[in-house]
Amino acid sequence: LKSLAFWLILTFFAYRMRCLSPLTMGLSLVALFAFFPVPHAFVVRSWVRMLRPRSLAVTELASSNVTDDAPMPLPLLDEDLGTATGWWQQGDLGSVIQKMARTRNAKIRLAAMMYYPQHHAAEEGILRLEPRKCDQDDAPGALRLGDQRMIDLGTLGYLGLTNSERYRRAIVEALDKYGATFCISPQWMRDPFALETTHLVETVFGRPAILAKSCSIATFHFFSSVIKYDPHVAVIIDADAHESLRDQATSLAQVEHSSVMRGMFDYQELEELVTKMKNLSGAKTIWYVADGQVSLTGEQIPVRPLLELQKRHPELWVFCDDAHGAGWSGKGGIGHAPELVLQEADTNAEGFAEEANRWVIATSFSKGFAADGGALILPDQQTKEFVELFSPFSRAMCARLPTADLAMIHEAMKMSLDGTIDHLQAELHERINYLHTAYRRHLKHLMDIPLEISCRPVLHIPLDMELDEVIRLVKELHNRGIFVAPTGPPAAAGLGLRLTVQPTTTHNDIDTFFTTIAELLERSVGKNT
């Protein structure tokens, strides 16, 4: 509104001076958007508060020069960074980030403001930690920082399979049978163990599958083939989609016939998706790209509302990245969203079979299953053959899975079929219920807690603190033998703690954390008062 008012004032004066013309109006619009990069302003507002630690470098980055109209923390440099060869090597990383925050390129400025908190936290010793090798009397996979044994509340191995005896035996047997790896390009010959494992994955999911080195590479398989070569495609990216998913989808903007839009809508407000789709009337295929489960909050994709929306709009397809839902949810660990979609596609119980076949799912074995690699779950065999032919990673040696990784995926699928995963899920849900009970019991007097907390193994505790205060808080938790993951931009709009549990997490571990965090927060509140 400020920018529009500024432009109207310019137009009014041009009219009074009798020099109003299409040329002058165009020049005023160019000047307006050159000096007021409005699209970035809403992001900057959220992050200015987090860039206010006491250190000089952060204080400069968060100076009062940052406003809604001109997101420039420091005066702009006379020359752009691109004019200097190897500019990223000149000085320490902190000074390089400050230079990035002063460049005339708005995208680089925004990146500097997004990633500075991570750099500062790593310098202070709460990110990119280097754990110590375990002692002989420690359990396999025990976590140690320095000389201290840690309570692990930051794992992504939600089912506690990180040190599974079945995995270890399966790896040894596979290495004896197939060797360490298969060193022939997949373009010429398929890895026999990879084929065997793929067939097992297809048995569990009930759909054609393509194995990949990771879930992100599985996503790239699809984006670089089906979406890239569709001449009438448009992509809408959900606001909560994780960073690597956004980056891959946004890269399609370089393709002339692709239209990438980032939808700023909530899962429960899908009518806004309809509004976005109306603006893409020229597209014959519209892909809605979203996470099956948001990694930070645990919020899950609304499958039924999306199927209803697809019935009204046959051009709508869904690409669901279910990396954080796989393993701990769904029958046999296939994930909450895939279970609902695949069940509907097979049974047509609610009349959405056709719509369910317009879903493509990328899944991960490296989180809930604590194995490695990912897979692309496709609606039919012809789509699988198309992706294998046109995706560059389908032919690349660098994307193959070594025997040890294939062995863990193979064993994980066997555990899905024999009921082991379902049993571990039941144990995990008991820990989740206790986690949420302890959350309310210990912290209800210190912060607003939602009346309903979703039954997820992930709990995000937002902290209304400055960056240096959060760093001191996490350091104190580490000193007391508790490992949790701090959160911040770009993954989260605000600072906080991300807490996860697994079947091996004890009630005492959970109580120890909440007792400690309540004490530290009360002390912090007292100081601020």
Side-chain angles (χ1 to χ4, degrees):
L1 290 176
K2 292 178 183 177
S3 303
L4 179 61
F6 180 75
W7 179 75
L8 289 173
I9 291 171
L10 285 179
T11 307
F12 173 77
F13 279 109
Y15 171 77
R16 293 300 300 268
M17 296 173 65
R18 301 180 184 277
C19 61
L20 182 63
S21 68
L23 176 62
T24 55
M25 291 184 68
L27 289 175
S28 66
L29 277 173
V30 170
L32 172 66
F33 287 103
F35 291 102
F36 293 88
V38 177
H40 305 297
F42 77 95
V43 182
V44 174
R45 279 202 306 269
S46 303
W47 292 326
V48 166
R49 181 182 58 81
M50 290 181 288
L51 296 170
R52 294 186 303 180
R54 305 294 181 235
S55 66
L56 176 62
V58 188
T59 303
E60 290 178 349
L61 272 177
S63 68
S64 58
N65 291 334
V66 180
T67 66
D68 290 347
D69 297 323
M72 304 172 189
L74 297 172
L76 294 180
L77 296 173
D78 292 334
E79 69 279 347
D80 203 359
L81 292 172
T83 61
T85 302
W87 55 266
W88 58 88
Q89 298 173 320
Q90 299 173 9
D92 61 87
L93 185 56
S95 63
V96 169
I97 294 176
Q98 290 199 34
K99 290 178 183 177
M100 291 173 65
R102 299 172 61 188
T103 183
R104 296 183 181 278
N105 186 310
K107 184 177 180 181
I108 296 177
R109 288 202 308 272
L110 189 60
M113 299 182 71
M114 286 172 60
Y115 288 100
Y116 190 87
Q118 287 190 19
H119 168 68
H120 184 61
E123 282 191 324
E124 292 294 328
I126 67 167
L127 289 182
R128 305 186 187 97
L129 304 174
E130 297 181 2
R132 208 197 80 185
K133 186 178 179 181
C134 297
D135 294 337
Q136 289 184 347
D137 57 345
D138 284 335
L143 186 63
R144 281 188 176 272
L145 287 177
D147 295 328
Q148 192 162 24
R149 173 80 178 271
M150 306 295 287
I151 297 174
D152 183 5
L153 298 176
T155 182
L156 297 179
Y158 303 122
L159 292 179
L161 291 170
T162 309
N163 302 287
S164 167
E165 181 63 31
R166 289 182 61 168
Y167 279 166
R168 290 201 288 269
R169 287 200 307 266
I171 290 171
V172 172
E173 292 173 6
L175 290 173
D176 289 341
K177 184 176 181 180
Y178 296 102
T181 189
F182 188 76
C183 279
I184 300 178
S185 171
Q187 178 76 347
W188 300 329
M189 185 179 294
R190 303 295 181 91
D191 181 347
F193 192 31
L195 287 174
E196 182 182 333
T197 305
T198 300
H199 292 326
L200 200 54
V201 171
E202 291 176 339
T203 300
V204 171
F205 282 87
R207 271 192 178 188
I210 297 176
L211 292 186
K213 187 75 172 176
S214 68
C215 187
S216 295
I217 292 180
T219 301
F220 185 81
H221 272 305
F222 192 76
F223 282 27
S224 62
S225 54
V226 173
I227 293 181
K228 179 179 179 180
Y229 293 112
D230 189 335
H232 304 289
V233 70
V235 179
I236 299 177
I237 313 168
D238 189 82
D240 286 325
H242 64 267
E243 189 179 9
S244 64
L245 192 60
R246 291 200 306 266
D247 286 346
Q248 291 195 50
T250 305
S251 66
L252 293 174
Q254 306 303 318
V255 183
E256 291 183 2
H257 53 252
S258 295
S259 175
V260 180
M261 299 176 60
R262 187 169 178 216
M264 300 302 296
F265 44 81
D266 186 81
Y267 275 150
Q268 307 306 320
E269 300 172 353
L270 290 178
E271 287 305 315
E272 294 189 35
L273 178 57
V274 178
T275 303
K276 297 284 184 183
M277 292 167 59
K278 289 178 181 178
N279 296 329
L280 300 170
S281 55
K284 295 182 179 179
T285 304
I286 298 176
W287 284 92
Y288 171 55
V289 178
D291 284 340
Q293 175 180 306
V294 180
S295 63
L296 193 65
T297 63
E299 185 179 16
Q300 293 178 329
I301 190 170
V303 175
R304 175 63 186 268
L306 277 172
L307 290 171
E308 293 174 351
L309 195 60
Q310 285 180 287
K311 202 170 191 69
R312 303 203 312 265
H313 299 274
E315 72 277 15
L316 179 62
W317 289 63
V318 177
F319 185 92
C320 172
D321 184 318
D322 199 44
H324 285 273
W328 74 269
S329 65
K331 177 69 174 176
I334 67 173
H336 169 73
E339 180 183 30
L340 296 179
V341 171
L342 299 178
Q343 186 178 36
E344 181 61 25
D346 292 339
T347 64
N348 197 26
E350 300 185 40
F352 295 115
E354 182 181 344
E355 289 71 31
N357 282 313
R358 297 205 305 271
W359 282 61
V360 172
I361 296 162
T363 191
S364 173
F365 304 111
S366 61
K367 295 182 175 65
F369 287 109
D372 204 359
L376 197 59
I377 311 300
L378 299 161
D380 52 54
Q381 185 65 26
Q382 184 168 331
T383 304
K384 175 180 176 177
E385 292 172 359
F386 186 93
V387 173
E388 287 181 329
L389 178 62
F390 285 95
S391 169
F393 269 106
S394 295
R395 306 181 295 275
M397 284 285 288
C398 64
R400 73 183 189 277
L401 284 158
T403 300
D405 292 349
L406 290 169
M408 288 192 290
I409 298 173
H410 194 276
E411 193 64 27
M413 295 300 96
K414 289 169 68 175
M415 285 191 278
S416 294
L417 294 171
D418 67 18
T420 301
I421 297 299
D422 295 332
H423 174 72
L424 291 172
Q425 287 179 353
E427 290 187 26
L428 175 63
H429 280 285
E430 190 278 329
R431 303 302 191 281
I432 293 172
N433 292 332
Y434 190 84
L435 173 71
H436 294 159
T437 301
Y439 181 30
R440 290 190 174 92
R441 184 170 70 247
H442 290 280
L443 297 184
K444 64 181 180 181
H445 63 292
L446 291 172
M447 58 181 65
D448 295 328
I449 298 177
L451 294 177
E452 294 184 6
I453 303 177
S454 301
C455 187
R456 316 280 188 267
V458 179
L459 178 64
H460 182 245
I461 302 177
L463 298 174
D464 188 18
M465 296 178 172
E466 295 183 357
L467 180 57
D468 277 350
E469 292 176 310
V470 174
I471 289 173
R472 286 194 293 270
L473 179 68
V474 174
K475 279 185 174 180
E476 184 61 31
L477 288 171
H478 289 176
N479 291 337
R480 299 193 186 195
I482 303 170
F483 173 71
V484 293
T487 61
L495 298 173
L497 300 176
R498 183 180 186 273
L499 185 69
T500 60
V501 292
Q502 55 185 321
T504 56
T505 305
T506 67
H507 290 184
N508 185 60
D509 293 339
I510 296 172
D511 287 331
T512 299
F513 166 77
F514 280 113
T515 302
T516 305
I517 194 68
E519 174 195 335
L520 296 176
L521 289 177
E522 286 174 348
R523 187 188 305 171
S524 176
V525 170
K527 287 182 179 179
N528 292 335
T529 303

